[in-house]
Structure formats: structure tokens, C-alpha cells
Amino acid sequence: MADFDYDLFVIGAGSGGVRAARVAASHGAKVAIAEEYRIGGTCVIRGCVPKKLLVYGSHFAEDLEDAENYGWSFENAKFDWNRLRDHVLGDVDRLNGLYEKTLESHGVERIMERAVVNGSNTVKLSSGREISAKYILVAVGGWPFVPEFEGSEHCITSNEVFHLDELPKRVVIAGAGYIALEFAGILNALGSHVTVVNRSNVILRGYDESLRDRLLQITMSRGIEYKFHCPFQKVVKREDGAFDVHLEGQDPIIADQILVATGRRPKTDGLGLETAGIELGENGEIPVDEYSRTSCDSIYAVGDVTDRIQLTPVAIREGQAFADTVFGDKPSTVDYDCVPSAVFSQPPLAGVGLTEGEARNTYGNIKVYSSDFRPMKNVFARRQERGLYKLIVEVPTEKVLGLHMIGPDAPEILQAAAIAVKAGLTKQDFDNTVALHPSMAEELVLMR
Ligand code: NDP
């Protein structure tokens, strides 16, 4: 066997890369990991974690409003964006430190430089140093995709939104996917006027239609504006520092910030994969087999760079399976069936399994049970917003094919219920479980 500097060289210290590096090291491998920005990757540094903290922070607006009917009054309640922002960024630093410690305690060498592939068993650092490794794992993640239009340099993406100097009064958000809807909720709750602009006429493509309609209705009633079938034409900076956003077939909209959230693409530009004979897919993704192996036997790839399911827990599982397969003598693959997901919009929505549309297309004969209810907490607070839960079942077995929920705490509730869906339980199994009263989750076992 040829001599290599390392058994494993990981490029990218995000969720997938860190898990793979740590587990490979615990299997006895000599491991190094290169990161050009900060250990932790998108999820920890500029994604899920800081976003969720902003969701919590902004949710106090609703809580304070509802508190009145619960007997509380808050005179002069004030919000300070800089305080929240700095506290969130401080927590990101804390987690970044924890990730660094994890790598250290597992004996993984950290190299804080950009690394690119330079042949089947070699990586090249930005300093010019070349390192050899028996295996290379590419886990560089994705990057916000910004469509081409004049003035796009004036827009921000989810990379910058966590660092805003001030809360914008007027925000235009391009796209109507996860990031757009989550930030629309955060900024709207914090007092910004938000306009969501999408190229198509849907929000959250891929989620169950009734839930999307419910979210649209509730967020509109909360003051978020939507413009559909409106591709961006150009953005022009005004003398007062604001921007005119020109859309096809519409009057321009004035905005203080423009957030582009039109998808994320694998970050494979200039990564040198061609030096190992690896051809990229249509979106720049690295094609891999079920073991996350590329067309080059010594190079693997996990996480968003492979464009399978762009979710942190999936990347983590892929990293774990890779390390167990290659270094743990335990061939493992990831099961992509029934992966639950959630959008932390306000209210949030969550789903697992097939949507009603998908189930109908796949099975033809299906049945839908639902519960359309006003949570007790909302009734008391005189908040009109209703929750909606849907259970999609196969006929005649009544096996649950999908579960979809919108309403307070939907992601928290769905995670537990997803176990039942993944286990292949039936509507009868749900009904056999006694309701936990009074709760919103009890609707799960009371659907008609
Ligand atoms: P999404 O894929 O969710 O949404 C992209 C949006 O941009 C859609 O509304 C789409 O329109 C529109 N769009 C796509 N391409 C173009 C284009 N060329 N021009 C104009 N508009 C376009 O992407 P996000 O950026 O919101 O998020 C990226 C990924 O990050 C998600 O797919 C998700 O996997 C992950 N993520 C997960 C979160 C979670 O789990 N809670 C939170 C945030 C991100 P159309 O209506 O035509 O589809």
C-alpha cells in the first residue's frame, strides 16, 4: 500500500464533514479536515442555528401581543435588533468553539485553509502545500444561488442577513422557499414591511397544498405581501440609499434591503474534481452512489454538495455512514424514505411522507383525514389563526403515507409522530392511542 500523509482528508467542516472526520478518527483513522471559513458550516454559522434563534427572538412579538388577554401588560416594550443580533452571533461563536473542541478531542487535525482536489489521492491547500490521503471526503456544502439581473450586487443573501447593521423598514425577498418564508416571518414579526416576490405562483413547492394555502392566508393577514409570477428585472440604488426593485409587469417596489433566497447550489466551483476524473451533475453537484462514493474510488462526498436532500440531519447521517463503511468495517447506507422536514415560518409547518398530491399520483386510491382547529391558546388570545393537520392513508389498509401539520409547535409535534409514520403504522394505530388532553397534539389521534 502506498504511504499517505493521512488516512482521510475531509474538505469542509460543516455538519457532514465534522461527523465523518470525528467518527473516522474514532475508528482509528489518521484524519485532517480543511475549512476555509469557520468550523461548523452553514447550519451552525449562518443557517439553521442562528435562524432558529431569530425565530425565537421575533416570536416574542406575538407572545407579547397575546399576553394581554392572559392578564399581562408590558408598557413600553421595546425591541433592540443589535442586541438580538449580537447575542445570536455570540452563540454562534460558542458553538463554533464546541465544534473545534470536538475535532480536537478526537485527534482530528484542523487546517484553516481552502483545499481543493488535485488528483485521486491528493489535495492542494491555498498556501500551495500538497497533502496525500488514502481517502478524500468532499463535504463543502452549498452556496446561495443568485439569478442574474442588473443590480444583483445590491442584494443580500442568507449569508449576510444575520449581520445587518439595522432592521430594515422595508424588505423585498426574492423566492418563496424555506429561507424566504422563514425570514419573511422573522422580519415581519420584528416590524419590517415584507414583500415576498416569486417567479412562480406557489410558495414552498413540495409541501402539501392545503398547508401552503393556510400559511399564505395567515401570513397575509399578518401583513406580509406577496407578488407572484414576478421575476426580478433590475435593482436600482436610489439617492437616499434605498433601492427600487423592478419586477416584470409591476410598478417598482422600494426596499431598504433585498434578500435573495432563490435556492442553494453545490459549492463545487474550482474544487478540482476534474483532476480525479469526476464529472459534475447539472446543478454542479457531485454524483455519488449509495455509499456516497464518487466515480473515483478514493473520493467520497456527503451533504449538500451531493444535492440529495439539503438538510443537516441528512448530511450528518451520510457522514456517519461513510465513516462506518470505510473505516468501521460496517457498510452503511442512508435511508431517505420518510425524512421529516419543517419550515420555521410563523406559524411553522412540518411534514413527513407523501403529500396528498403525491399520494394520489402514486396510489390513486387514498383517503385524507384532517383536523382544522383553532388552538386553545389562540382562542383565548382572540387570535383567529387556525391549525391544520392532515393524515394521508392508503386504501384499504389505512397505512399512513404522510402526515402534514401547520400550527404552533408543529415541528416539535411532528418529530414524534414521524416515528409512527416511518414505522408504517395505520390510522387505527393512531386512533388506538388515547388523546393527551388538552393539547394541540391530541388532534393527531382525533382526525376525521
Ligand atoms: P428553496 O429551494 O426552498 O426555494 C427556492 C425559491 O426560489 C423557490 O420559491 C423557487 O421558485 C425560487 N427560484 C428558484 N430558482 C429561481 C430562479 N432561477 N429565479 C428566480 N427564482 C427562483 O431554496 P432556499 O434558498 O429557500 O433554501 C435552500 C435549501 O436550504 C432548501 O432547499 C432547504 O433544503 C434548505 N433549508 C432548509 C431549512 C429547514 O429545514 N427549515 C431552512 C432553510 C433552508 P419556485 O416557486 O418556482 O420553486
Side-chain angles (χ1 to χ4, degrees):
M1 189 185 77
D3 257 357
F4 296 107
D5 297 327
Y6 294 95
D7 297 315
L8 172 65
F9 194 98
V10 181
I11 307 180
S15 302
V18 167
R19 171 58 69 95
R22 157 166 100 61
V23 176
S26 68
H27 286 313
K30 185 181 178 198
V31 186
I33 192 164
E35 170 56 55
E36 62 182 335
Y37 184 53
R38 296 184 74 186
I39 306 279
T42 302
C43 175
V44 173
I45 306 296
R46 47 195 172 197
C48 329
V49 171
K51 177 277 309 286
K52 186 74 187 276
L53 293 171
L54 290 183
V55 170
Y56 280 136
S58 61
H59 206 274
F60 281 97
E62 178 182 328
D63 297 336
L64 287 171
E65 204 178 296
D66 291 353
E68 292 263 331
N69 281 312
Y70 286 90
W72 295 86
S73 52
F74 299 90
E75 264 138 52
N76 302 324
K78 272 194 288 205
F79 171 70
D80 182 342
W81 162 254
N82 292 2
R83 192 134 63 95
L84 175 62
R85 179 201 61 197
D86 292 347
H87 205 153
V88 169
L89 295 178
D91 214 52
V92 167
D93 291 343
R94 181 182 67 81
L95 288 168
N96 170 238
L98 288 178
Y99 268 68
E100 288 179 348
K101 277 209 186 87
T102 301
L103 289 173
E104 205 176 294
S105 65
H106 283 81
V108 175
E109 191 179 326
R110 281 171 286 140
I111 299 175
M112 295 308 291
E113 271 183 68
R114 178 169 166 80
V116 299
V117 174
N118 196 17
S120 322
N121 295 97
T122 313
V123 294
K124 190 171 183 180
L125 303 182
S126 52
S127 57
R129 189 175 141 213
E130 293 208 357
I131 296 176
S132 67
K134 187 171 181 200
Y135 292 101
I136 297 169
L137 177 70
V138 183
V140 296
W143 196 250
F145 159 73
V146 179
E148 272 180 34
F149 55 85
E150 195 185 318
S152 61
E153 70 277 11
H154 299 307
C155 304
I156 60 168
T157 68
S158 54
N159 286 347
E160 294 80 36
V161 73
F162 298 104
H163 299 268
L164 292 176
D165 288 335
E166 58 187 356
L167 195 65
K169 287 198 174 60
R170 300 156 295 190
V171 187
V172 168
I173 302 181
Y178 283 82
I179 296 176
L181 271 294
E182 290 180 344
F183 274 95
I186 292 166
L187 295 168
N188 170 260
L190 294 178
S192 300
H193 180 270
V194 178
T195 310
V196 173
V197 175
N198 201 18
R199 64 173 178 183
S200 72
N201 65 346
V202 297
I203 63 170
L204 294 173
R205 187 186 295 282
Y207 274 92
D208 193 88
E209 199 175 339
S210 338
L211 271 72
R212 296 192 263 145
D213 286 348
R214 180 62 52 93
L215 182 66
L216 193 61
Q217 178 205 350
I218 295 177
T219 51
M220 281 169 66
S221 74
R222 288 187 178 203
I224 296 177
E225 273 190 56
Y226 288 89
K227 292 196 184 293
F228 291 117
H229 287 307
C230 283
F232 271 41
Q233 273 180 333
K234 61 177 175 181
V235 169
V236 179
K237 188 159 188 181
R238 299 155 54 103
E239 279 183 2
D240 61 4
F243 305 98
D244 281 325
V245 183
H246 294 259
L247 308 170
E248 252 175 57
Q250 298 273 334
D251 291 335
I253 315 175
I254 303 175
D256 303 299
Q257 286 290 354
I258 305 146
L259 170 64
V260 177
T262 45
R264 292 172 57 83
R265 298 263 166 97
K267 204 174 169 223
T268 43
D269 270 2
L271 207 56
L273 292 154
E274 67 289 348
T275 63
I278 299 169
E279 273 180 41
L280 299 178
E282 232 173 68
N283 275 334
E285 77 276 15
I286 304 179
V288 288
D289 68 11
E290 64 198 305
Y291 292 103
S292 296
R293 184 172 34 206
T294 68
S295 57
C296 171
D297 280 352
S298 54
I299 303 184
Y300 287 68
V302 296
D304 287 2
V305 78
T306 63
D307 205 13
R308 285 175 280 185
I309 301 183
Q310 290 185 16
L311 294 176
T312 299
V314 173
I316 290 174
R317 288 208 168 201
E318 289 169 354
Q320 175 85 40
F322 155 77
D324 286 342
T325 302
V326 178
F327 298 101
D329 204 18
K330 191 176 145 208
S332 314
T333 56
V334 175
D335 179 359
Y336 296 98
D337 185 42
C338 277
V339 172
S341 66
V343 184
F344 294 94
S345 45
Q346 300 187 26
L349 57 85
V352 64
L354 302 182
T355 63
E356 182 179 344
E358 287 167 346
R360 215 176 284 289
N361 287 340
T362 313
Y363 289 84
N365 199 6
I366 57 153
K367 196 164 171 191
V368 179
Y369 293 95
S370 65
S371 177
D372 189 336
F373 64 101
R374 190 141 77 105
M376 182 180 177
K377 184 166 174 269
N378 283 1
V379 175
F380 195 72
R382 305 215 173 93
R383 182 172 285 281
Q384 297 306 320
E385 300 164 5
R386 301 178 69 83
L388 176 63
Y389 295 180
K390 276 176 76 171
L391 203 59
I392 323 292
V393 307
E394 188 186 6
V395 173
T397 62
E398 296 249 315
K399 181 184 165 204
V400 178
L401 301 171
L403 172 62
H404 307 277
M405 309 167 57
I406 180 168
D409 297 329
E412 304 289 343
I413 300 167
L414 184 109
Q415 174 69 83
I419 300 169
V421 179
K422 176 79 183 148
L425 300 193
T426 62
K427 171 75 165 78
Q428 191 61 52
D429 293 316
F430 275 70
D431 291 353
N432 288 346
T433 307
V434 174
L436 195 159
H437 184 72
S439 68
M440 289 178 288
E442 71 180 309
E443 299 299 329
L444 284 173
V445 298
L446 300 171
M447 284 194 229
R448 292 285 161 255

